[in-house]
Amino acid sequence: MSEIGPRVALIINASSRRGSQVLASASADLKRHGLEVLAAIRVGSPARLGTVSDRLLAMDLDRLIVGGGDGTLSKLAPRVAQHRVALGVLPTGTANDFARTLGIPNDLALAAEVAAGQTYQDVDLARANGKSFLNVASVGMSVAALDRLSPGLKQRLGNLAYAVAGARAFFSHDLFRFHIEAQKEYSGSAHQVIVANGRFYGGGVLVAQDSTLDDGALTAYGLGMRGRWELLRTVALQKLRVPLERPGDAYVRATSLRLETWPALPVNLDGEIRTQTPVEFAVAEKALRVMVPQV
């Protein structure tokens, strides 16, 4: 009797940077590695991703393979976790920081091999005012940069688009006051506050030396408290993977925390504005199973 393989479906966000033309090749790659793909759908509108994924997850899947960037994965991850289905990742986005953290290759054929494999890792899901995210929540300059990060810019420049958008926001952004409440309390003024679940954000900027996706903790810090040039220096060092043990002037690691700002500000969750301050942050430890490369 032949062994029955996992029940698998594939969903591709066609609006992600490399998502418009990869459905057929991704399906073929997965089948070549022994997976029977029960359904393969390319979604043209990001607003439909949730509805389509719900329809696929209702098929009693063992594995949902998603082609998209960090925003796509952040949107679908809580749905996948709720159904106790494993997530396979095809990094077709611009930054792909979630895939980078887990060592999933940027080459889509190699990523399909990982998604079709047998090795998985259970990772944490973070929540901000009840909304899930995978990598990072940020307030301040990064939100101003996001306003300047058009789809066309990402298509033309790829990962470099984040640096260009950040440079445009750098000179015009104003300080704001913030308060972080956890085991300790921190207050001050900053150009940016980071609250991270993962290890990377912004196309490969290292969160902190000891940050991981499965440690059950959030890493929070303020940047630019001593000026915007100090912020630029810190982010440049993080981008170069210089191991700053405690970046920022206010630094905390906690399983839950509250962030308040004056004035109230929008909050970027994995590349999308989805809530605003004040924010209650929490972690659902090892809530999501993800296919990862074999060690």
Side-chain angles (χ1 to χ4, degrees):
M1 181 181 294
S2 61
E3 184 179 350
I4 299 176
R7 293 176 59 81
V8 175
L10 170 66
I11 182 170
I12 302 286
N13 180 2
S15 66
S16 61
R17 185 165 184 259
R18 295 188 293 166
S20 59
Q21 305 294 327
V22 301
L23 184 66
S25 60
S27 298
D29 287 337
L30 293 170
K31 290 176 181 178
R32 187 166 59 252
H33 292 296
L35 291 187
E36 180 183 357
V37 181
L38 302 178
I41 300 178
R42 183 168 67 94
V43 180
S45 169
R48 295 187 60 243
L49 283 169
T51 302
V52 174
S53 66
D54 286 344
R55 191 165 75 239
L56 294 175
L57 290 165
M59 297 169 61
D60 192 27
L61 299 177
D62 300 300
R63 199 174 301 180
L64 180 64
I65 298 173
V66 177
D70 292 318
T72 302
L73 296 169
S74 184
K75 182 177 294 184
L76 299 188
R79 288 176 156 88
V80 175
Q82 183 179 4
H83 282 80
R84 306 190 68 80
V85 170
L87 173 68
V89 177
L90 303 180
T92 64
T94 304
N96 300 314
D97 285 309
F98 183 69
R100 178 181 287 106
T101 296
L102 295 175
I104 297 169
N106 202 47
D107 181 281
L108 294 180
L110 295 178
E113 182 177 3
V114 172
Q118 300 299 318
T119 306
Y120 63 83
Q121 181 176 341
D122 291 331
V123 305
D124 304 333
L125 270 177
R127 293 195 177 98
N129 286 344
K131 301 179 186 300
S132 295
F133 66 98
L134 290 169
N135 291 310
V136 71
S138 59
V139 176
M141 190 178 291
S142 61
V143 176
L146 185 64
D147 289 340
R148 295 163 171 80
L149 191 64
S150 67
L153 188 66
K154 291 198 287 186
Q155 287 287 345
R156 292 195 306 275
L157 300 181
N159 205 12
L160 185 60
Y162 288 89
V164 173
R168 291 175 177 175
F170 178 75
F171 291 101
S172 59
H173 192 264
D174 294 325
L175 286 165
F176 60 90
R177 291 190 300 124
F178 74 94
H179 178 77
I180 296 174
E181 183 178 342
Q183 295 97 328
K184 297 181 179 180
E185 296 187 21
Y186 298 89
S187 296
S189 296
H191 283 285
Q192 181 156 296
V193 174
I194 296 293
V195 180
N197 179 52
R199 186 163 180 79
F200 295 107
Y201 72 97
V205 177
L206 181 64
V207 171
Q209 185 174 356
D210 56 355
S211 57
T212 69
L213 271 167
D214 58 359
D215 56 9
L218 298 168
T219 301
Y221 50 86
L223 288 171
M225 297 171 69
R226 289 176 287 167
R228 70 183 76 227
W229 291 106
E230 183 64 25
L231 180 152
L232 181 63
R233 175 183 178 276
T234 300
V235 172
L237 291 173
Q238 291 173 301
K239 181 71 173 177
L240 294 170
R241 313 284 170 83
V242 175
L244 303 176
E245 184 179 355
R246 291 177 174 270
D249 298 308
Y251 182 95
V252 62
R253 282 177 56 78
T255 56
S256 63
L257 60 94
R258 174 182 171 86
L259 170 64
E260 195 164 0
T261 66
W262 295 272
L265 294 171
V267 181
N268 174 358
L269 303 180
D270 289 338
E272 296 183 0
I273 305 302
R274 292 167 56 203
T275 188
Q276 69 174 27
T277 58
V279 192
E280 300 284 348
F281 289 96
V283 178
E285 191 170 355
K286 293 181 169 54
L288 178 67
R289 179 159 293 182
V290 188
M291 307 310 298
V292 296
Q294 185 174 7
V295 179

